Amino acid sequence: MSRGNQTEIRQSRLLRSDVYRLGASGLKSRPTRVVLSALGIAIGIAAMIAVVGISTSSRAKLDAELASLGTNLLTVQPGTSITGQDTTLPVESTGKVGLIRGVSTAGAVATLPDVKVYRSRLIDADKSGGIVVQAADPHLLGLLDGTLRQGAWLTKATANYPTVVLGGIAADRLGIVSPGSQIWLGDTQFTVIGILDALPLAPDLDTSAFIGEAFATARFDWDGKPTIIFERSADAEVETVRTLLPRTVNPENPENVRVSRPSDALAAKNAADLAFTGLLVGLGSVALLVGGIGVANTMVISVLERRREIGLRRALGATQGHIRTQFLAEALLLSALGGLAGTVIGFGVIAMFAGTNGWPISVPPVVFAGGIGATMLIGAVAGLYPAIRASKTPPTAALNG
Amino acid sequence: MSDSVIELDQVVRDYGSPPVRAVDHVSLSVARGEFVAVVGPSGSGKSSLLNIIGTLDRPTSGRTIIDGHDVDTMNDAALSALRAYRIGFVFQQFHLTDGVSALDTVADGLIYTGTPRAERRRRAVASLTRVGLAHRLDHQPHQLSGGERQRVAIARATVSDPTLLLADEPTGNLDQRSGASVLELLHELNTTGTTIVVITHDVRLAEQMPRRITIRDGRVVEDDQEAPA
Ligand SMILES: Nc1ncnc2c1ncn2[C@@H]1O[C@H](COP(=O)(O)OP(=O)(O)OP(=O)(O)O)[C@@H](O)[C@H]1O
Ligand SMILES: [Mg+2]
């Protein structure tokens, strides 16, 4: 009548499908707490994904912008001499630059420092609103890939008359909204014939008022020396041209010539934005850390509350390993829920941000992979201690209720 | 000897420091198929003894052989396996989970044997039928009477067909009638071959058992065995 036998017993076993089931049912019994502690993870992941996504989207926008503006524009400006004095670019420099092999177009602006700009004669002579008058080459607009908000750019014909084209900010400061308005440059009345959009490759010129070179010479005694020369060449020639420019412009003192590439400045500005992004990523990690601590905390409380359940499971044949696995699964699931919610929220934020800024949405898949990886890691780290603690709960906990 | 399910030799269990002796040199032997009541005043060490028999706790000293296994030398995994396949537990507080049906509760009794879910539920139906709850499969704890809850717990403890069923005051939370019917059920299980050890405070119930072990201050003071009928 011997039932059961004294020989070897099979091992306790917990099927993988049951591990998931146990993890899920453990969470289901405490929904509020689950939501609250998953929220921390969700916020952290959302912040990280949003930050990375926003910066990659703005980067994508910038790349598109650079591609359309071109990276083949170089500027030539006077530098300071070895003795520390300000230098100037020689007369005729612009023409010489245009002759360099590979250069397709060259044009210049020349600042007329003594000429002030006023909306009307009644305004105090000292208040010129920081607007700088520039003698501008007709090629300038094309070189800078500039566009007109209103009216027309200077032509060879209009350059001989008191006509002026205003940079976007200059127009705003003067309160000029349409061509045909009259303003004063020094003691000469000019007619506004055009207003520019912002110039992404030369933001400094947005505060300028551009007049024709011919009229500048005739009326303001411009000496013909350019302040900034712009030139464009074929992409492949940019580096060669760059090395030739100083000697071409100023053969005697090439070191007094400063050459730069505006597209680099644009990219650098974005790099500065990325430093700010780094700060946000830091904040996101703090949120994640707090979220992880929240999960760990929830799990520790859960372990304390569920001593009887653990004891019962041990009585039903669970090994310490099974208990550990169950609680770890619960922690992982908890943080995965947070991670999932965070990913959705993060993507929503990116979409909103990109939408309002007119950026393309560009999120590298590795970001999502990273988010999932981070979540799993947090879940594992946060769940490990509570799980070990759970597994150390004495089996008698069920009896000493 | 090989037909004894429980074999204790000079088992001692001390708690804490300075040590409180809950079990004091207990030696006893329970044969396969026996039905044993453990009685004694509160604090006499009944639960401590049952924990050791059920391998939930280890003795401070002495030898414990359960179902032929020397449990003192076994590791956690081996003890867990013994509990999963050979020992069933019934507790005074039932330990049912809110919102879980009788069927799933009983099926969970097999979860650590690696039995697939469908098979677990099939065996759970059989086990619930055996305890007379075939008509309560989908009921949740709050929809069951105290006696029915304890029957669900018994069905869970016996779904794996254990050799040994241990019950710590299974009728402690029940009224007279439900308690009697639960005990009746244990008798039935005993006649199908399960060895049963029941702790009880109820002297009248204990009177009906074939063997009564009385504990006082951690010692066996009386082992009252009726001659087999
Ligand atoms: N985990 C523990 N730590 C310290 N002392 C304990 C522990 N468990 C039991 N004891 C002590 O051991 C003694 C026996 O306790 P036990 O629970 O075995 O008695 P019992 O006979 O089951 O009592 P009751 O009928 O009230 O359930 C008591 O003095 C108790 O205080
Ligand atoms: Mg007790």
Side-chain angles (χ1 to χ4, degrees), chain A residues 400, chain B residues 15-16 20-22 40-49 168-169 199 201:
Chain A
N400 326 325
Chain B
Y15 287 113
V20 175
R21 186 146 294 184
S42 185
S44 56
K46 306 181 295 295
S47 295
S48 304
L49 186 64
D168 194 344
E169 297 186 38
I199 294 178
H201 266 131

Side-chain angles (χ1 to χ4, degrees), chain A residues 21-168:
Chain A
R21 215 192 311 279
L22 286 181
S25 71
L27 295 184
K28 242 184 282 172
S29 57
R30 294 164 181 76
T32 321
R33 199 183 296 169
V34 165
V35 168
L36 288 178
S37 58
L39 199 63
I41 300 274
I43 291 171
I45 290 284
M48 299 287 254
I49 286 187
V51 162
V52 175
I54 286 170
S55 84
T56 53
S57 294
S58 84
R59 179 83 227 176
K61 161 76 175 168
L62 176 79
D63 287 347
E65 202 170 81
L66 285 179
S68 82
L69 294 173
T71 52
N72 58 350
L73 178 77
L74 295 181
T75 63
V76 180
Q77 283 167 278
T80 40
S81 69
I82 336 174
T83 56
Q85 268 144 1
D86 287 342
T87 63
T88 55
L89 296 175
V91 183
E92 296 304 326
S93 300
T94 315
K96 285 196 264 176
V97 169
L99 294 176
I100 297 176
R101 228 178 86 99
V103 171
S104 49
T105 340
V109 290
T111 307
L112 305 175
D114 302 328
V115 186
K116 305 276 186 250
V117 181
Y118 318 102
R119 180 78 169 85
S120 83
R121 297 206 80 169
L122 302 174
I123 289 172
D124 185 351
D126 291 334
K127 289 192 177 165
S128 62
I131 297 165
V132 179
V133 176
Q134 313 267 16
D137 192 295
H139 296 307
L140 186 73
L141 192 66
L143 273 164
L144 293 179
D145 237 340
T147 49
L148 284 151
R149 194 193 294 170
Q150 298 259 310
W153 176 245
L154 298 165
T155 61
K156 268 212 153 64
T158 52
N160 293 305
Y161 297 100
T163 53
V164 61
V165 174
L166 295 175

Side-chain angles (χ1 to χ4, degrees), chain A residues 5-6 13 18 314 398-399, chain B residues 2 51 76 86 95 120:
Chain A
N5 59 60
Q6 280 97 323
R13 277 183 61 209
D18 287 325
R314 297 282 276 143
L399 283 134
Chain B
S2 72
N51 283 352
D76 178 69
R86 298 294 168 77
H95 288 315
R120 292 205 299 263

Side-chain angles (χ1 to χ4, degrees), chain A residues 147-337:
Chain A
T147 49
L148 284 151
R149 194 193 294 170
Q150 298 259 310
W153 176 245
L154 298 165
T155 61
K156 268 212 153 64
T158 52
N160 293 305
Y161 297 100
T163 53
V164 61
V165 174
L166 295 175
I169 296 175
D172 294 342
R173 286 199 188 149
L174 290 168
I176 303 292
V177 290
S178 58
S181 312
Q182 306 286 315
I183 59 170
W184 291 83
L185 270 63
D187 51 7
T188 313
Q189 195 173 25
F190 275 67
T191 304
V192 176
I193 57 166
I195 299 169
L196 298 182
D197 287 319
L199 295 167
L201 286 172
D204 293 347
L205 294 183
D206 287 338
T207 52
S208 295
F210 302 94
I211 62 172
E213 290 176 335
F215 198 79
T217 314
R219 182 71 191 79
F220 298 119
D221 300 325
W222 175 46
D223 57 8
K225 288 181 178 173
T227 317
I228 312 174
I229 304 171
F230 298 91
E231 69 78 20
R232 275 192 198 262
S233 59
D235 282 331
E237 308 282 352
V238 171
E239 285 311 313
T240 327
V241 172
R242 186 174 199 148
T243 55
L244 291 173
L245 278 170
R247 266 179 292 146
T248 311
V249 170
N250 194 341
E252 288 105 69
N253 300 92
E255 71 278 2
N256 289 355
V257 175
R258 205 151 52 84
V259 180
S260 58
R261 197 174 182 173
S263 54
D264 291 348
L266 255 183
K269 185 172 143 256
N270 193 257
D273 289 350
L274 287 180
F276 179 63
T277 308
L279 185 76
L280 288 177
V281 168
L283 284 177
S285 348
V286 171
L288 267 187
L289 184 71
V290 172
I293 292 171
V295 168
N297 191 37
T298 300
M299 292 308 298
V300 167
I301 292 171
S302 174
V303 169
L304 292 177
E305 284 176 352
R306 289 157 70 187
R307 285 172 59 83
R308 284 150 162 258
E309 179 201 324
I310 296 167
L312 174 71
R313 293 191 177 282
R314 297 282 276 143
L316 291 177
T319 62
Q320 291 195 336
H322 292 149
I323 300 295
R324 207 163 45 230
T325 305
Q326 177 186 344
F327 279 83
L328 207 53
E330 212 171 296
L332 281 174
L333 205 62
L334 180 57
S335 86
L337 282 176

Side-chain angles (χ1 to χ4, degrees), chain A residues 1-5, chain B residues 3-6 30-36 67 85-88 130 157-158 160-166 184-197:
Chain A
M1 72 149 272
S2 167
R3 222 159 49 105
N5 59 60
Chain B
D3 222 26
S4 64
V5 175
I6 302 168
V30 174
R32 200 166 295 279
E34 272 198 83
F35 193 149
V36 181
D67 199 25
Y85 295 99
R86 298 294 168 77
I87 306 173
R130 198 157 56 212
T158 54
S160 62
D161 248 337
T163 317
L164 178 60
L165 182 66
L166 304 175
E184 180 60 31
L185 172 61
L186 293 180
H187 270 292
E188 278 170 39
L189 289 168
N190 178 241
T191 57
T192 66
T194 314
T195 308
I196 300 181
V197 177

